[in-house]
Amino acid sequence: MMRSLPLSAELIKDSNARLSDALEEDYAALGRQLERRGIAIDAVKARVADFSVAVPSWGAGRGGTRFAKFPIPGEPTNIHEKLEDCAVINQLSRVTPRVSPHFPWDKVSDYRALREEAASLGLGFDAVNSNTFQDQPGQAHSYSTGSLSSTVTETRQQAVEHNIECIEIGRQLGSTDLTVWVGDGTNLPGQQDLGRSLDRYLDAAAQVYAALPDDWRMLLEHKMFEPAFYSSVISDWGSSILAAQELGDKCQCLVDLGHHAPNVNIEQIVARLHRFGKLGGFHFNDSKYGDDDLDSGSINPHQLFLIFNELVEAERNPRGGFNPSYMIDQSHNVTDPIESMLSSAEAIAQCYAKALLVDRDALHGAQEGNDTMMAFQALRRAYTVDVSPIVAKARVEAGGAIDVLAAYRDSRWRERKSQERKAVGLGAGIV
Ligand code: LRH
Ligand code: MN
């Protein structure tokens, strides 16, 4: 049962009316340019039209740091309002039809009803995220000692049961992936035995793995530091892939771009995980220093392009299988979260489109021939193309807006919601 979408079709139609002639002109010009390169622009547009990325429910509200969070009037206060805002993002961008929920932040009493509610807004659910990095009111055992790797048996069991509960919720929502990120680690040398911590993690994670339905995956998310600042149990792709290999075929690795030391070659990690059949998914964002959770492509768009270059190579050579789950994971501390996710979805779709323009025969030929400059130029010639007419055309043909931010501001959505929604209190932290 399709409920009326949050924004009026007229609003998008009026916004596009002002811009469609220019778009047609730009698309035609780009088409001629690409034709000279032997590339059919409509074929690229068709691939872009099939591309999608999930948005994080927790990204629909303002985020914060340990110092502060600055709420905005009209920001969502519960999963229902978050779904509304995610529907606005998808209605304008037509590239974000799925939401990745987080529990217990998005807890409700009736998940089948939530699934229908999302469907009525044109949305589905992607991977569910468990949370064993915060204590909930009335929780029996604190995660201050860690969760799946805690030395306290009852705490590990509690964490296992929470993850199994997330799987059960996800089944009702139509998800088929469980993302497991644990903040487990130490702040002081000697605080925990680095070997036994992983042993406990693997033993507990195996119990979660055993509860996976046949068609489900468990995605392990590595992170170098924070909240632990000396060691993290699953700190890098090495620990993650070894744990995933130990746990089984239904366990793969999720790459959150912000979870690496500055300047780490993430595109090579992507190639390695794919080589060993463990590339399960992504949390797209950007960062300059730590896990800054900034807007995708806002700091290092070239890295995002190089990651998609590896993904297009992997798509062409799927080896043991290629089905990564694309998701955004950001914290919107100073912007309107909807605008940030519109801008990020655009940056991600553009990097995919640019990667599709790489002349792979020329690239592979230059690589085999050790013609370094021409190999680099094969990537650079694609990266420097302004693909925005392709992404915009694919969007418009799917009912979206040519200029998503202009249409969003025309909608006055945030002002309208500030009249309806209760104010979010001051606080700190990611949500
Ligand atoms: C950890 C993380 C993880 C989520 C959380 C909101 O830094 O990236 O993916 O559970 O952010
Ligand atoms: Mn993440």
Side-chain angles (χ1 to χ4, degrees), residues 58 221 254 256 259 283 285 293 329:
W58 62 94
E221 183 177 0
L254 182 143
D256 184 312
H259 289 186
H283 278 177
N285 48 56
D293 279 341
D329 177 5

Side-chain angles (χ1 to χ4, degrees), residues 247-259:
L247 289 165
D249 294 348
K250 288 190 281 185
C251 189
Q252 294 185 311
C253 306
L254 182 143
V255 180
D256 184 312
L257 274 56
H259 289 186

Side-chain angles (χ1 to χ4, degrees), residues 371-394:
D371 184 341
T372 304
M373 180 46 70
M374 284 309 131
F376 171 71
Q377 289 303 327
L379 296 185
R380 183 44 54 93
R381 286 187 77 221
Y383 180 65
T384 53
V385 174
D386 172 7
V387 294
S388 56
I390 297 174
V391 179
K393 197 101 160 57

Side-chain angles (χ1 to χ4, degrees), residues 58 102 105 129 133 181 221 223 256 259 283 291 329 430:
W58 62 94
H102 216 300
W105 293 339
N129 296 267
F133 51 85
W181 170 68
E221 183 177 0
K223 184 174 182 179
D256 184 312
H259 289 186
H283 278 177
D291 185 22
D329 177 5
I430 187 168

